Amino acid sequence: MDLRLFYSIILSILVMILIVCVVKSFRSNKPIGKSLGKLLIAFIIPITGNMIIIISGNKNVSIIGYFMYFIGMNYVMFNQVRFTNVYCKGIGNGRKYKPTIIYVFLLADTIQLLLNPVFGHAFDVEKIEVQGLPYYRLIPHFGQTVHRLVDYSVYMCVLIIFTIAAKKTAKIYRERYTVIIVAMLILGVWQAFYIFSRTPIDRSMIGYGVVGIMVFYLSLYYRPLRLLDRMLSNIASDLPDALYVFDPMGKCIWANDPGLKMVDVVENELEAVPKKIYERFGVNALSEDEWGENKVLGDGDDARYYSIQKHTVRYDRKYLAGSFVSIHDNTEEQRKVQQEIYNSTHDSLTGLFTKQYLYEQIQRRLNSDDDTDYYVVFVDVKNFKIVNDIFGTNFGDLAIQQIASWIRSRVTDNSIYGRLAGDTFGVFRPALGFNPDKLEEDLGNFIVSDGTVEYHLQMNLGVYEVADWNTEISVMFDRAHLALSSLKDNYKSHVAFYDTKLREKVVWEQKLTAELKDALASMQIKPYLQPIADGNGKVVGAEALVRWIHPDNGFMSPAMFVPLYEKNGMIVEIDKHMWRCACRILSEWKGRYDDLFISINISPKDFYFIDVVSELTGLVKEFDIEPVKLRLEITETVMMNASEKRMKILDELRKAGFIVEMDDFGSGYSSLNLLKDMPVDVLKIDMKFLSGSENDEKSNTIIRNIIRLSEELNIATLTEGVETDKQFSQLSDMGCKLFQGYYFAKPMPVDEFVKFADTHGMQ
């Protein structure tokens, strides 16, 4: 075969292979794909130019081939630099230089080559015969020498970069650099031989094609399997887990050091490994299937936890290559998990169950045992805040711990107990063996001590007998807690049972709570008016007092429902209803009873839940009445908390035209210091001062001076609870101006009050 044709075929095959590599490079998802593809395209250009030179017997065509060859080599060097920058990325100190100067030299060289047709300074060709056919051989000039210096300089820079990369990279990756270095050296020597030997045909282009294909493989597909296997072996040897490798026949062929120690064998006794694993862990390492098991060896604090797994290894997805067993000692992890679980389910101070976990454990017990009678016990410490205030929080924490210890010592083994909140605890225990008398004795003598200080804690137990297993656990404890209300301030009793009476009270309160909305809408709840008279006995106004005419229970006094609604906050709805009713009555009285006023009550809860000022000013505006006709009664307890804020509200009400009365003065903890700052117009004196006291003279002196003090403070006085003519006379003599009580009239419906005012006005 013709030698020139032979080389042309080889170069054509290489070009086609390189084209396939270019396509695959650009389709690759690897970051180096695009840089690799551009480098391979650059390789194709000089190889194609060389093919043209070899095949052509025409001078001009050959010159074109030489231009493709030389300029293509510049393009190869340009892309070689860019590819090297990506291929060797991250090697060394991580600094990245832009090879701008190299690109400038390559561009300048390309320009001087392109000017060769003008100046003829770079190269020329001469005709010779090769195998009897014309062939145009290169005649290099100065420009060609410059071209070779530029290309070889860039070539050496690339070679140096790859050498540094091979030196600095990890051993497992060094091979991917050294192969390219060796190939580049061979290729350089090969091309140098072509230059200096004056051989007509440049066979080194075959090397360029081969190097291009090799770089493609190393960049996208090559993995150093031999070194990788060695590395994986080292990694497996250094693993803390015990590892055993078996061949397809089930023979143990390798174990790492932790594996040898785990089953107490030496390296030349590997055949004993399966038996040793079975003896220690009870698992068959030679079974055919993959599996995983968790094993616990030992008990209590000495227990150790292991995770054992077997995996099979196959090649070609069907042939068994062997298997391996790994044993992981996860004792520390398990202990951490157990500690985390314990911390989430146990109170950090006492070690008792948390409230949530206590409820869960009780529910689990109820679901599994419906034959035992159980008690739910609510343990409450009275006035525990005093302990912290007097002795400090450290002593308080110690007291809580001693209470927890007392609970542990007083319950049976099958009891469940925990800490519900700061100073409250919960116990779920069998009813059998519960001894309230013994507990009364213990609680009466319960003392907490830090060794130097002793303090008697008042602890009470509310007990609820579980009757309905479907009742929510929280409701059970609520009922046990409710049982404590029967103790009140009885310091001699400490144990109380939730009974029928308490159950009926709960049902009654739930019923009243549910009925309030309809009762207000249907006017079952309405105002009764109790007359207020002046010193001459003339009716000048009335106090609106709430009454409930229940369709089933009949007439209900406030004592039957007001305390409940004050406790749950629904008193606000009743107050708003009473205010509206009073305003409606005053609106209806306009033109007939313009001199009468109505006093309404404002509960302490009203200040928390509604804007009292906007609510009342809105009502008088809606019903078009004078604010002075709607007097506002507040209790002195309103001023005990957030007094500055309350005084500001009262100031706003007085500026809006309302008259403010302080109700029940003297019944609580009346403060003269508070009175001097309180913005009130009327002081309502509680007649408890005169009710059956053995010190009547002292009572009279106090009332007389309160009235005199009020006058000097420009505050009117109104005495409520006046029941006899004697009381009325005494109070009048003392200077009191207004009176209210059964001596004049009891609270009555509005229509009766109107008749009373018309026909029984006291003159």
Short mmCIF file of all heavy atoms in Angstrom, two decimals, residues 203-246:
data_model
loop_
_atom_site.label_atom_id
_atom_site.label_comp_id
_atom_site.label_asym_id
_atom_site.label_seq_id
_atom_site.Cartn_x
_atom_site.Cartn_y
_atom_site.Cartn_z
N ARG A 203 5.03 12.24 10.95
CA ARG A 203 4.31 11.13 11.58
C ARG A 203 3.86 11.47 13.02
O ARG A 203 3.06 10.76 13.61
CB ARG A 203 5.20 9.89 11.59
CG ARG A 203 5.58 9.40 10.20
CD ARG A 203 6.56 8.23 10.31
NE ARG A 203 6.94 7.74 9.01
CZ ARG A 203 7.91 8.24 8.26
NH1 ARG A 203 8.59 9.30 8.70
NH2 ARG A 203 8.22 7.72 7.09
N SER A 204 4.39 12.55 13.60
CA SER A 204 4.03 12.90 14.99
C SER A 204 2.56 13.27 15.12
O SER A 204 2.00 13.25 16.22
CB SER A 204 4.90 14.06 15.49
OG SER A 204 4.61 15.26 14.78
N MET A 205 1.89 13.61 14.00
CA MET A 205 0.47 13.91 14.06
C MET A 205 -0.35 12.71 14.51
O MET A 205 -1.42 12.86 15.09
CB MET A 205 -0.02 14.40 12.69
CG MET A 205 0.39 15.82 12.34
SD MET A 205 -0.31 17.06 13.47
CE MET A 205 1.11 17.42 14.49
N ILE A 206 0.17 11.50 14.22
CA ILE A 206 -0.51 10.30 14.74
C ILE A 206 -0.48 10.35 16.27
O ILE A 206 -1.46 10.03 16.95
CB ILE A 206 0.18 9.04 14.21
CG1 ILE A 206 0.06 8.97 12.68
CG2 ILE A 206 -0.42 7.79 14.85
CD1 ILE A 206 0.84 7.82 12.06
N GLY A 207 0.67 10.78 16.80
CA GLY A 207 0.78 10.90 18.26
C GLY A 207 -0.20 11.91 18.83
O GLY A 207 -0.77 11.70 19.92
N TYR A 208 -0.41 13.04 18.12
CA TYR A 208 -1.39 14.02 18.59
C TYR A 208 -2.78 13.42 18.68
O TYR A 208 -3.54 13.67 19.63
CB TYR A 208 -1.39 15.24 17.65
CG TYR A 208 -0.37 16.28 18.03
CD1 TYR A 208 0.88 16.29 17.41
CD2 TYR A 208 -0.64 17.23 19.00
CE1 TYR A 208 1.83 17.23 17.75
CE2 TYR A 208 0.30 18.18 19.34
CZ TYR A 208 1.54 18.18 18.73
OH TYR A 208 2.47 19.11 19.08
N GLY A 209 -3.14 12.63 17.66
CA GLY A 209 -4.45 11.99 17.69
C GLY A 209 -4.59 11.03 18.85
O GLY A 209 -5.61 11.00 19.55
N VAL A 210 -3.53 10.22 19.05
CA VAL A 210 -3.57 9.25 20.15
C VAL A 210 -3.62 9.97 21.50
O VAL A 210 -4.38 9.60 22.41
CB VAL A 210 -2.33 8.32 20.07
CG1 VAL A 210 -2.26 7.43 21.32
CG2 VAL A 210 -2.38 7.49 18.82
N VAL A 211 -2.80 11.04 21.66
CA VAL A 211 -2.81 11.79 22.92
C VAL A 211 -4.18 12.41 23.17
O VAL A 211 -4.69 12.43 24.30
CB VAL A 211 -1.70 12.87 22.90
CG1 VAL A 211 -1.89 13.85 24.06
CG2 VAL A 211 -0.33 12.23 22.98
N GLY A 212 -4.80 12.95 22.10
CA GLY A 212 -6.14 13.53 22.26
C GLY A 212 -7.14 12.52 22.79
O GLY A 212 -7.94 12.80 23.70
N ILE A 213 -7.10 11.29 22.21
CA ILE A 213 -8.02 10.23 22.66
C ILE A 213 -7.71 9.84 24.10
O ILE A 213 -8.61 9.62 24.93
CB ILE A 213 -7.92 9.02 21.72
CG1 ILE A 213 -8.39 9.42 20.31
CG2 ILE A 213 -8.75 7.85 22.24
CD1 ILE A 213 -8.08 8.38 19.25
N MET A 214 -6.41 9.78 24.43
CA MET A 214 -6.00 9.39 25.79
C MET A 214 -6.44 10.44 26.82
O MET A 214 -6.94 10.11 27.90
CB MET A 214 -4.49 9.21 25.83
CG MET A 214 -3.95 8.76 27.19
SD MET A 214 -2.17 8.53 27.14
CE MET A 214 -1.65 10.22 26.83
N VAL A 215 -6.27 11.74 26.46
CA VAL A 215 -6.71 12.81 27.37
C VAL A 215 -8.22 12.75 27.58
O VAL A 215 -8.73 12.96 28.70
CB VAL A 215 -6.30 14.18 26.82
CG1 VAL A 215 -6.96 15.31 27.60
CG2 VAL A 215 -4.79 14.34 26.85
N PHE A 216 -8.96 12.46 26.52
CA PHE A 216 -10.42 12.30 26.62
C PHE A 216 -10.77 11.21 27.64
O PHE A 216 -11.62 11.40 28.52
CB PHE A 216 -10.98 11.96 25.25
CG PHE A 216 -12.41 11.49 25.27
CD1 PHE A 216 -13.46 12.39 25.39
CD2 PHE A 216 -12.70 10.13 25.17
CE1 PHE A 216 -14.78 11.95 25.42
CE2 PHE A 216 -14.01 9.69 25.20
CZ PHE A 216 -15.05 10.60 25.33
N TYR A 217 -10.10 10.07 27.54
CA TYR A 217 -10.38 8.95 28.44
C TYR A 217 -10.01 9.29 29.88
O TYR A 217 -10.78 9.04 30.82
CB TYR A 217 -9.61 7.72 27.97
CG TYR A 217 -9.64 6.57 28.96
CD1 TYR A 217 -10.81 5.83 29.16
CD2 TYR A 217 -8.50 6.24 29.69
CE1 TYR A 217 -10.84 4.79 30.07
CE2 TYR A 217 -8.53 5.21 30.61
CZ TYR A 217 -9.70 4.48 30.80
OH TYR A 217 -9.72 3.46 31.70
N LEU A 218 -8.83 9.88 30.05
CA LEU A 218 -8.38 10.20 31.41
C LEU A 218 -9.27 11.25 32.07
O LEU A 218 -9.47 11.24 33.28
CB LEU A 218 -6.93 10.69 31.38
CG LEU A 218 -5.86 9.64 31.06
CD1 LEU A 218 -4.51 10.31 30.91
CD2 LEU A 218 -5.80 8.57 32.13
N SER A 219 -9.79 12.16 31.26
CA SER A 219 -10.60 13.25 31.82
C SER A 219 -11.99 12.81 32.22
O SER A 219 -12.53 13.26 33.24
CB SER A 219 -10.70 14.40 30.81
OG SER A 219 -9.43 14.90 30.49
N LEU A 220 -12.60 11.93 31.42
CA LEU A 220 -14.02 11.61 31.65
C LEU A 220 -14.27 10.22 32.22
O LEU A 220 -15.27 10.01 32.91
CB LEU A 220 -14.81 11.76 30.34
CG LEU A 220 -14.86 13.17 29.73
CD1 LEU A 220 -15.78 13.18 28.52
CD2 LEU A 220 -15.33 14.19 30.74
N TYR A 221 -13.41 9.26 31.94
CA TYR A 221 -13.76 7.88 32.28
C TYR A 221 -12.75 7.17 33.17
O TYR A 221 -13.09 6.18 33.83
CB TYR A 221 -13.92 7.04 31.00
CG TYR A 221 -15.04 7.54 30.12
CD1 TYR A 221 -14.78 8.28 28.97
CD2 TYR A 221 -16.36 7.30 30.45
CE1 TYR A 221 -15.81 8.74 28.17
CE2 TYR A 221 -17.40 7.76 29.65
CZ TYR A 221 -17.12 8.48 28.52
OH TYR A 221 -18.14 8.95 27.73
N TYR A 222 -11.55 7.66 33.23
CA TYR A 222 -10.52 6.90 33.93
C TYR A 222 -10.71 6.92 35.44
O TYR A 222 -11.00 7.95 36.03
CB TYR A 222 -9.15 7.49 33.58
CG TYR A 222 -8.01 6.90 34.40
CD1 TYR A 222 -7.55 5.61 34.16
CD2 TYR A 222 -7.41 7.64 35.40
CE1 TYR A 222 -6.51 5.08 34.90
CE2 TYR A 222 -6.36 7.12 36.15
CZ TYR A 222 -5.92 5.83 35.89
OH TYR A 222 -4.90 5.31 36.64
N ARG A 223 -10.55 5.75 36.05
CA ARG A 223 -10.49 5.64 37.51
C ARG A 223 -9.28 4.77 37.86
O ARG A 223 -9.14 3.68 37.32
CB ARG A 223 -11.75 4.98 38.08
CG ARG A 223 -12.98 5.83 38.01
CD ARG A 223 -14.07 5.26 38.88
NE ARG A 223 -14.37 3.88 38.54
CZ ARG A 223 -14.99 3.02 39.36
NH1 ARG A 223 -15.37 3.42 40.55
NH2 ARG A 223 -15.22 1.78 38.99
N PRO A 224 -8.43 5.24 38.77
CA PRO A 224 -7.24 4.45 39.13
C PRO A 224 -7.63 3.27 40.02
O PRO A 224 -7.47 3.31 41.25
CB PRO A 224 -6.37 5.47 39.88
CG PRO A 224 -7.34 6.43 40.46
CD PRO A 224 -8.48 6.51 39.48
N LEU A 225 -8.15 2.22 39.41
CA LEU A 225 -8.74 1.11 40.17
C LEU A 225 -7.73 0.43 41.09
O LEU A 225 -8.08 0.05 42.21
CB LEU A 225 -9.34 0.08 39.20
CG LEU A 225 -10.54 0.58 38.38
CD1 LEU A 225 -11.02 -0.51 37.44
CD2 LEU A 225 -11.67 1.02 39.30
N ARG A 226 -6.52 0.23 40.62
CA ARG A 226 -5.55 -0.47 41.45
C ARG A 226 -5.26 0.31 42.73
O ARG A 226 -5.30 -0.22 43.84
CB ARG A 226 -4.26 -0.68 40.66
CG ARG A 226 -3.18 -1.44 41.43
CD ARG A 226 -2.03 -1.80 40.50
NE ARG A 226 -1.47 -0.61 39.89
CZ ARG A 226 -0.54 0.15 40.49
NH1 ARG A 226 -0.11 -0.16 41.70
NH2 ARG A 226 -0.05 1.21 39.88
N LEU A 227 -5.02 1.61 42.54
CA LEU A 227 -4.77 2.44 43.72
C LEU A 227 -6.03 2.63 44.55
O LEU A 227 -5.99 2.73 45.77
CB LEU A 227 -4.21 3.80 43.28
CG LEU A 227 -2.81 3.77 42.67
CD1 LEU A 227 -2.40 5.15 42.23
CD2 LEU A 227 -1.80 3.21 43.66
N LEU A 228 -7.18 2.67 43.85
CA LEU A 228 -8.44 2.81 44.57
C LEU A 228 -8.70 1.59 45.45
O LEU A 228 -9.13 1.71 46.60
CB LEU A 228 -9.58 2.99 43.57
CG LEU A 228 -10.97 3.26 44.15
CD1 LEU A 228 -10.96 4.55 44.97
CD2 LEU A 228 -12.00 3.35 43.04
N ASP A 229 -8.42 0.41 44.90
CA ASP A 229 -8.58 -0.81 45.70
C ASP A 229 -7.69 -0.78 46.93
O ASP A 229 -8.09 -1.17 48.03
CB ASP A 229 -8.26 -2.04 44.84
CG ASP A 229 -9.33 -2.31 43.80
OD1 ASP A 229 -10.44 -1.76 43.96
OD2 ASP A 229 -9.05 -3.05 42.84
N ARG A 230 -6.45 -0.32 46.71
CA ARG A 230 -5.51 -0.25 47.84
C ARG A 230 -6.01 0.75 48.89
O ARG A 230 -5.94 0.50 50.09
CB ARG A 230 -4.13 0.17 47.34
CG ARG A 230 -3.06 0.10 48.42
CD ARG A 230 -1.74 0.59 47.88
NE ARG A 230 -1.37 -0.10 46.67
CZ ARG A 230 -0.41 0.33 45.84
NH1 ARG A 230 0.24 1.45 46.10
NH2 ARG A 230 -0.12 -0.35 44.75
N MET A 231 -6.54 1.86 48.40
CA MET A 231 -7.04 2.89 49.31
C MET A 231 -8.25 2.38 50.09
O MET A 231 -8.36 2.58 51.30
CB MET A 231 -7.41 4.14 48.51
CG MET A 231 -7.91 5.29 49.35
SD MET A 231 -8.26 6.74 48.34
CE MET A 231 -8.88 7.86 49.59
N LEU A 232 -9.17 1.71 49.38
CA LEU A 232 -10.35 1.17 50.06
C LEU A 232 -9.96 0.12 51.09
O LEU A 232 -10.57 0.02 52.15
CB LEU A 232 -11.31 0.57 49.03
CG LEU A 232 -12.01 1.57 48.10
CD1 LEU A 232 -12.84 0.85 47.06
CD2 LEU A 232 -12.88 2.52 48.91
N SER A 233 -8.94 -0.65 50.76
CA SER A 233 -8.46 -1.64 51.72
C SER A 233 -7.92 -0.97 52.98
O SER A 233 -8.19 -1.40 54.10
CB SER A 233 -7.37 -2.50 51.07
OG SER A 233 -6.85 -3.43 52.00
N ASN A 234 -7.17 0.12 52.77
CA ASN A 234 -6.64 0.86 53.93
C ASN A 234 -7.76 1.47 54.75
O ASN A 234 -7.74 1.49 55.98
CB ASN A 234 -5.68 1.95 53.45
CG ASN A 234 -4.39 1.38 52.89
OD1 ASN A 234 -4.01 0.26 53.21
ND2 ASN A 234 -3.74 2.14 52.01
N ILE A 235 -8.78 2.01 54.02
CA ILE A 235 -9.92 2.61 54.72
C ILE A 235 -10.65 1.56 55.55
O ILE A 235 -11.00 1.78 56.71
CB ILE A 235 -10.88 3.26 53.71
CG1 ILE A 235 -10.23 4.48 53.08
CG2 ILE A 235 -12.19 3.66 54.38
CD1 ILE A 235 -11.03 5.09 51.94
N ALA A 236 -10.88 0.39 54.93
CA ALA A 236 -11.58 -0.68 55.64
C ALA A 236 -10.78 -1.13 56.86
O ALA A 236 -11.34 -1.44 57.92
CB ALA A 236 -11.83 -1.86 54.70
N SER A 237 -9.45 -1.16 56.72
CA SER A 237 -8.61 -1.58 57.85
C SER A 237 -8.69 -0.59 59.00
O SER A 237 -8.59 -0.96 60.16
CB SER A 237 -7.15 -1.74 57.39
OG SER A 237 -7.05 -2.75 56.41
N ASP A 238 -8.86 0.69 58.66
CA ASP A 238 -8.89 1.72 59.68
C ASP A 238 -10.27 1.98 60.25
O ASP A 238 -10.43 2.81 61.14
CB ASP A 238 -8.33 3.03 59.11
CG ASP A 238 -6.85 2.91 58.77
OD1 ASP A 238 -6.19 2.03 59.35
OD2 ASP A 238 -6.38 3.67 57.91
N LEU A 239 -11.30 1.32 59.71
CA LEU A 239 -12.65 1.53 60.21
C LEU A 239 -12.76 1.07 61.66
O LEU A 239 -12.20 0.04 62.03
CB LEU A 239 -13.67 0.77 59.37
CG LEU A 239 -14.05 1.36 58.01
CD1 LEU A 239 -14.99 0.40 57.27
CD2 LEU A 239 -14.72 2.72 58.17
N PRO A 240 -13.51 1.81 62.49
CA PRO A 240 -13.71 1.35 63.87
C PRO A 240 -14.64 0.15 63.96
O PRO A 240 -14.62 -0.58 64.94
CB PRO A 240 -14.32 2.58 64.56
CG PRO A 240 -15.00 3.34 63.46
CD PRO A 240 -14.16 3.11 62.24
N ASP A 241 -15.49 -0.05 62.93
CA ASP A 241 -16.40 -1.19 62.92
C ASP A 241 -15.64 -2.47 62.60
O ASP A 241 -14.65 -2.47 61.85
CB ASP A 241 -17.50 -1.00 61.88
CG ASP A 241 -18.42 0.15 62.22
OD1 ASP A 241 -18.31 0.68 63.34
OD2 ASP A 241 -19.22 0.53 61.36
N ALA A 242 -16.13 -3.57 63.15
CA ALA A 242 -15.58 -4.88 62.80
C ALA A 242 -16.08 -5.26 61.41
O ALA A 242 -17.27 -5.15 61.12
CB ALA A 242 -16.01 -5.92 63.82
N LEU A 243 -15.14 -5.72 60.53
CA LEU A 243 -15.50 -6.03 59.15
C LEU A 243 -14.90 -7.37 58.77
O LEU A 243 -13.71 -7.63 58.99
CB LEU A 243 -14.98 -4.93 58.22
CG LEU A 243 -15.53 -4.90 56.81
CD1 LEU A 243 -17.03 -4.60 56.83
CD2 LEU A 243 -14.81 -3.85 55.97
N TYR A 244 -15.74 -8.23 58.17
CA TYR A 244 -15.32 -9.58 57.75
C TYR A 244 -15.73 -9.78 56.30
O TYR A 244 -16.88 -9.53 55.94
CB TYR A 244 -15.96 -10.65 58.62
CG TYR A 244 -15.82 -10.41 60.11
CD1 TYR A 244 -16.80 -9.71 60.82
CD2 TYR A 244 -14.71 -10.86 60.81
CE1 TYR A 244 -16.68 -9.47 62.17
CE2 TYR A 244 -14.57 -10.63 62.17
CZ TYR A 244 -15.56 -9.93 62.85
OH TYR A 244 -15.44 -9.70 64.19
N VAL A 245 -14.79 -10.26 55.46
CA VAL A 245 -15.06 -10.50 54.05
C VAL A 245 -15.03 -12.00 53.80
O VAL A 245 -14.10 -12.71 54.24
CB VAL A 245 -14.02 -9.78 53.16
CG1 VAL A 245 -14.31 -10.07 51.68
CG2 VAL A 245 -14.05 -8.28 53.42
N PHE A 246 -16.04 -12.50 53.09
CA PHE A 246 -16.18 -13.93 52.79
C PHE A 246 -16.17 -14.14 51.28
O PHE A 246 -16.71 -13.31 50.52
CB PHE A 246 -17.48 -14.48 53.37
CG PHE A 246 -17.59 -14.34 54.87
CD1 PHE A 246 -18.09 -13.19 55.44
CD2 PHE A 246 -17.16 -15.37 55.70
CE1 PHE A 246 -18.18 -13.05 56.82
CE2 PHE A 246 -17.25 -15.24 57.08
CZ PHE A 246 -17.77 -14.08 57.64
#
